[in-house]
Amino acid sequence: KNQVEQSPQSLIILEGKNCTLQCNYTVSPFSNLRWYKQDTGRGPVSLTIMTFSENTKSNGRYTATLDADTKQSSLHITASQLSDSASYICVVTPGGNTGTASKLTFGTGTRLQVTL
Amino acid sequence: DGGITQSPKYLFRKEGQNVTLSCEQNLNHDAMYWYRQDPGQGLRLIYYSQIVNDFQKGDIAEGYSVSREKKESFPLTVTSAQKNPTAFYLCASSSFRGADTQYFGPGTRLTVL
């Protein structure tokens, strides 16, 4: 069964500090992996997308890494800001053709709180 | 939230009532999706549509119905057959290619009284 597990479930950090969120998946074959940011009561917004051949992808202070061999990804946030407080969701798309859009596997997310 | 709108933002329903959640997109996307989000769980796919007048059941379609009469619109009806409808509902769209990024609407929070 395809699964995506994220850790930690929740995290509290001080403003200005860095943090790293983890995502482990069992989806196979694999097409791509996305990280989404979801503010409370809002829809998720895409941060990064990586295919199996990419090791790292940055979007401002967000840097995602991917190790397709170990089926692990991480999202590193640099110099955190209060606005980074949100849930971060890892989403994996399986490989193949027809119907991949319907087969996304979503992680349960990591809830990040940035405090003063 | 891109070019996807959902309404209403909050919805209250009495037991036994059907309610319809609206989803509209102006991104010219072929594919649209409905997800349900519950605390501590990943998003779960209810229904999806890859073309007008066609839609497919997702993992948790029981108690829900949809229609796709226009490319821009994909309304979701939560019927009285859905035993636990209180949740956050998210609509998304993507271009026809299945691996493309999905763009999400702002969501509708449905509460059953």
Side-chain angles (χ1 to χ4, degrees):
Chain A
K1 179 181 178 182
N2 290 337
Q3 287 187 313
V4 175
E5 295 187 353
Q6 295 187 241
S7 63
Q9 270 192 322
S10 61
L11 183 62
I12 302 175
I13 63 173
L14 293 175
E15 186 181 28
K17 299 297 186 182
N18 304 335
C19 67
T20 300
L21 314 179
Q22 300 291 340
C23 173
N24 297 336
Y25 62 92
T26 61
V27 179
S28 183
F30 166 85
S31 176
N32 59 62
L33 183 147
R34 299 176 177 84
W35 283 94
Y36 281 89
K37 177 186 179 186
Q38 184 178 22
D39 292 318
T40 301
R42 305 295 299 274
V45 175
S46 180
L47 291 175
T48 63
I49 177 171
M50 290 181 293
T51 64
F52 66 89
S53 61
E54 296 177 292
N55 299 120
T56 185
K57 184 72 70 76
S58 290
N59 178 0
R61 295 180 296 102
Y62 301 100
T63 299
T65 64
L66 174 65
D67 185 335
D69 292 330
T70 61
K71 294 185 171 59
Q72 295 179 327
S73 176
S74 65
L75 180 69
H76 185 75
I77 304 175
T78 303
S80 62
Q81 300 176 358
L82 296 178
S83 60
D84 293 330
S85 295
S87 290
Y88 292 84
I89 303 172
C90 177
V91 184
V92 178
T93 303
N97 297 318
T98 303
T100 56
S102 68
K103 300 300 182 184
L104 302 185
T105 303
F106 290 80
T108 58
T110 291
R111 183 157 187 81
L112 173 66
Q113 184 177 349
V114 180
T115 65
L116 293 172
Chain B
D1 299 333
I4 301 180
T5 58
Q6 291 184 241
S7 62
K9 187 172 178 61
Y10 300 98
L11 186 58
F12 298 90
R13 189 194 92 173
K14 293 182 179 179
E15 286 190 13
Q17 285 183 335
N18 294 352
V19 291
T20 297
L21 283 57
S22 170
C23 177
E24 304 276 335
Q25 55 100 357
N26 62 5
L27 301 170
N28 200 33
H29 284 168
D30 289 297
M32 297 186 73
Y33 316 83
W34 274 104
Y35 292 93
R36 172 181 172 138
Q37 188 174 35
D38 295 282
Q41 295 193 41
L43 272 68
R44 292 183 291 169
L45 182 65
I46 304 172
Y47 268 98
Y48 67 100
S49 168
Q50 293 188 316
I51 196 169
V52 174
N53 291 323
D54 184 58
F55 48 83
Q56 305 295 328
K57 292 182 178 180
D59 300 320
I60 55 167
E62 184 176 352
Y64 300 97
S65 66
V66 294
S67 64
R68 188 86 186 275
E69 297 176 0
K70 298 186 301 181
K71 187 176 184 177
E72 303 79 19
S73 178
F74 191 41
L76 173 74
T77 297
V78 184
T79 75
S80 57
Q82 170 50 237
K83 298 306 179 187
N84 185 23
T86 295
F88 190 53
Y89 290 87
L90 287 161
C91 178
S93 72
S94 69
S95 62
F96 181 73
R97 291 173 59 198
D100 281 357
T101 298
Q102 292 187 13
Y103 295 85
F104 287 85
T108 292
R109 184 164 298 281
L110 173 63
T111 303
V112 175
L113 303 174

